[in-house]
């Protein structure tokens, strides 16, 4: 891996301000309430890990942060601005799709299943959004793609198509693609869950590198070792609510809630 920072070289994290703030966030799909009043705060520069069983609402909450899903009640802020809405007086007005897209470009998201364009090479996948959304010069975008591929350990794969890459390599290209937009916030939705075990380490190494460089990250994960070693805060969710939160080592080593204890006894 190239361009990797050691902990002693890492930029100091500024965690004095909130990058993400949720106040009483509710989300339903039809009659099924998936989020039942989420309150949490992610500080700037923080690595914030979300754990919990399948169906607990973790991924839905992540998708609400960049307005891929619309919340039904509450308030959700990114960098001090309401997500998806504008407030005038006591009323909220939903933003136009173009306004949402403009704000969403500052939030990078990495999905379980990579979502790369199959007809584009690794480099082409990375340069597409900066050129189309930010209007970046093509030569500059290609230079940046080369730098990012080197950073994620794939300098020799610029001309490879997704079908020619392993799952772990595709996920690292997906991370590079998200970084190409120079986001202020990175969202990871179980980024290693679809990978063979031997491919997980390389992806986690890239995420560690990002954490050490000061990137604000929210990570939905089943990788408890990563949460323990890299995370600054950890939240355990179940059935659409925050059950327990705290420093990852404290929660994982000495969970206070019976439901957290039960879950961790099965995964640790």
């Amino acid at each position: 891996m190239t361009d990797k920072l050691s902990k002693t070289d890492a930029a100091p994290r500024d965690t004095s301000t909130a990058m993400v703030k949720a106040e009483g966030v509710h989300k339903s799909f039809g009659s099924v309430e998936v989020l039942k009043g989420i309150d949490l705060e992610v500080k700037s520069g923080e690595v914030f890990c979300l754990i919990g069983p399948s169906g607990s609402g973790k991924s839905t909450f992540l998708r609400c942060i960049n307005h891929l899903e619309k919340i039904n009640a509450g308030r959700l802020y990114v960098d001090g601005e309401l997500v998806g809405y504008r407030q005038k007086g006591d009323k909220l007005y939903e933003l136009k799709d173009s306004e949402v897209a403009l704000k969403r470009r500052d939030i990078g998201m990495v999905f379980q299943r990579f979502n790369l364009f199959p007809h584009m090479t690794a480099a082409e996948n990375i340069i597409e959004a900066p050129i189309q959304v930010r209007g970046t010069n093509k030569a500059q975008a290609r230079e940046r793609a080369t730098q990012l591929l080197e950073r994620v350990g794939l300098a020799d794969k610029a001309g490879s198509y997704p079908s020619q890459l392993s799952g772990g390599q595709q996920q690292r290209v997906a991370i590079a693609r998200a970084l190409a937009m120079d986001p202020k916030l990175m969202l990871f939705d179980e980024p290693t869950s679809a990978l063979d075990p031997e491919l997980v380490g390389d992806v986690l190494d890239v995420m560690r590198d990002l954490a050490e460089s000061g990137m604000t990250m929210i990570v939905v994960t089943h990788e408890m070792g990563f949460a323990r070693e890299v995370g600054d805060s950890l939240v355990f969710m179940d059935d659409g609510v925050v059950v327990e939160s705290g420093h990852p080592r404290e929660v994982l080593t000495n969970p206070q809630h019976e439901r957290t204890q039960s879950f961790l006894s099965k995964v640790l």
Side-chain angles (χ1 to χ4, degrees), residues 210-225:
L210 282 179
E212 290 169 353
S213 70
M215 175 65 73
T216 308
M217 300 163 60
I218 303 179
V219 185
V220 172
T221 185
H222 294 295
E223 298 291 339
M224 300 303 162

Side-chain angles (χ1 to χ4, degrees), residues 6 9 18 37 41 43 74 82 95-96 129 141 160 164-165 179 195 205 219 223 228 230 249 265:
S6 69
D9 296 329
E41 185 174 303
K43 295 177 181 177
L82 272 172
L95 297 179
K96 298 176 182 177
S160 299
Q164 299 170 316
L165 302 173
L179 291 174
L195 303 180
D205 282 345
V219 185
E223 298 291 339
R228 183 187 293 108
V230 183
R249 286 192 180 92
S265 71

Side-chain angles (χ1 to χ4, degrees), residues 109-201:
M109 187 156 185
V110 178
F111 300 88
Q112 292 182 40
R113 291 288 176 178
F114 328 134
N115 290 7
L116 297 177
F117 296 116
H119 62 289
M120 293 183 178
T121 64
E124 288 168 344
N125 265 281
I126 294 169
I127 70 173
E128 179 72 7
I131 292 173
Q132 298 299 329
V133 179
R134 290 201 183 275
T136 305
N137 174 279
K138 194 168 186 178
Q140 291 176 326
R142 285 194 175 278
E143 182 179 356
R144 175 74 169 141
T146 299
Q147 294 169 351
L148 288 170
L149 284 170
E150 184 175 355
R151 181 174 187 179
V152 300
L154 295 173
D156 60 336
K157 300 296 184 182
S160 299
Y161 289 89
S163 62
Q164 299 170 316
L165 302 173
S166 70
Q169 289 171 333
Q170 289 184 63
Q171 192 62 294
R172 283 185 278 159
V173 171
I175 293 172
R177 178 179 61 179
L179 291 174
M181 292 292 285
D182 294 317
K184 63 176 92 172
L185 169 67
M186 285 283 284
L187 309 176
F188 293 87
D189 188 9
E190 299 187 18
T192 60
S193 65
L195 303 180
D196 292 333
E198 65 268 24
L199 303 176
V200 168

